[in-house]
Amino acid sequence: MSEQNRRSRIEGALLRRGDANYETARARVLWNELKPDRYPDLIVRAACERDVQEVLKLAVSSGLRLAVRAGGHSWCGSPLRDGGILLDLSGLDQWKIDADSATATVQPGVIGSRFARELARRDLAFPAGHCPSVALGGYLLSGGLGWNSGLWGVACASVLEVTAVTAGGEVLRCTEEEHPGLFWAARGAGPGFFAVVTSFRLRLRPRPTALATVGNG
């Protein structure tokens, strides 16, 4: 398949360096004002899991390096690199909560504070990040240190399963029994993880009487 055909299969927004909205998209990659002068060749905002597969196949076929963004709260600006493709997962922001089994499946772009509010309505909770606007993707891949870690441990210890897309575009379900190496690496590898996680299955907790969190002012 040609590179042009591969790009046409991507549903989400695709911006090349020099396009009209490129600089606006690049500026939004990171949450703070510490934005290094690094310019990806392409910025793709995934609209679905299949977009992730197509972007990975495009990166391999074109010989381009890939960087991934979920919420952009990286202090060192790891998603913003020179050249290659920046894959923005912030649009993958759906969740499904199963109160009976006290589990949830979340996409990487889910914002922690929004998720916490939905859990509270069901008298459930999950180890929260320090900042309300942090997305769960980068938070969980980097271990998940937050307000409740002293009681419940790091958040990645409550990850039961991940769905990961490999460099070849293969979608894998990873648990302690299936693809255990990838599952182990996904819980703490951070931006160096060698696949793209499109969903996490989480173990939830009963909501305590007092819950340490951060509001939005």
Side-chain angles (χ1 to χ4, degrees):
M1 182 180 294
S2 70
E3 180 177 330
Q4 185 61 40
N5 286 340
R6 182 77 67 192
R7 294 186 185 189
S8 69
R9 290 169 59 89
I10 297 171
E11 293 181 28
L14 186 154
L15 293 170
R16 301 168 181 83
R17 186 174 179 181
D19 285 351
N21 296 321
Y22 173 91
E23 185 53 35
T24 299
R26 192 190 77 89
R28 290 175 178 169
V29 168
L30 303 177
W31 70 284
N32 58 22
E33 295 302 317
L34 301 176
K35 296 179 175 62
D37 291 329
R38 303 173 193 155
Y39 299 88
D41 296 323
L42 291 172
I43 299 175
V44 182
R45 190 171 191 263
C48 56
E49 185 179 76
R50 191 174 67 83
D51 275 359
V52 176
Q53 294 176 269
E54 294 299 331
V55 169
L56 282 162
K57 291 174 183 177
L58 174 63
V60 171
S61 64
S62 304
L64 296 173
R65 296 182 65 187
L66 186 80
V68 182
R69 171 194 188 265
H73 268 258
S74 168
W75 283 99
C76 60
S78 60
L80 197 57
R81 302 178 186 177
D82 258 332
I85 301 175
L86 170 62
L87 176 57
D88 183 351
L89 303 180
S90 61
L92 303 184
D93 60 355
Q94 302 299 306
W95 63 69
K96 183 177 180 180
I97 300 169
D98 185 341
D100 292 335
S101 65
T103 62
T105 299
V106 301
Q107 292 185 311
V110 169
I111 301 301
S113 57
R114 292 178 56 211
F115 183 54
R117 287 193 293 271
E118 288 298 317
L119 292 178
R121 295 188 180 104
R122 298 164 173 83
D123 287 325
L124 294 168
F126 186 74
H130 288 116
C131 181
S133 58
V134 169
L136 291 180
Y139 172 66
L140 292 171
L141 284 172
S142 298
L145 289 169
W147 290 112
N148 312 109
S149 298
L151 176 63
W152 290 333
V154 292
C156 70
S158 294
V159 174
L160 302 173
E161 175 185 324
V162 301
T163 301
V165 184
T166 68
E170 185 179 7
V171 180
L172 300 178
R173 175 180 179 268
C174 305
T175 67
E176 289 184 346
E177 291 76 34
E178 296 181 65
H179 307 288
L182 273 176
F183 181 64
W184 175 84
R187 296 177 297 168
F193 184 55
F194 33 86
V196 178
V197 176
T198 55
S199 72
F200 301 84
R201 185 164 174 263
L202 309 176
R203 179 193 302 112
L204 305 177
R205 311 277 181 167
R207 187 172 187 265
T209 303
L211 185 68
T213 186
V214 175
N216 286 308

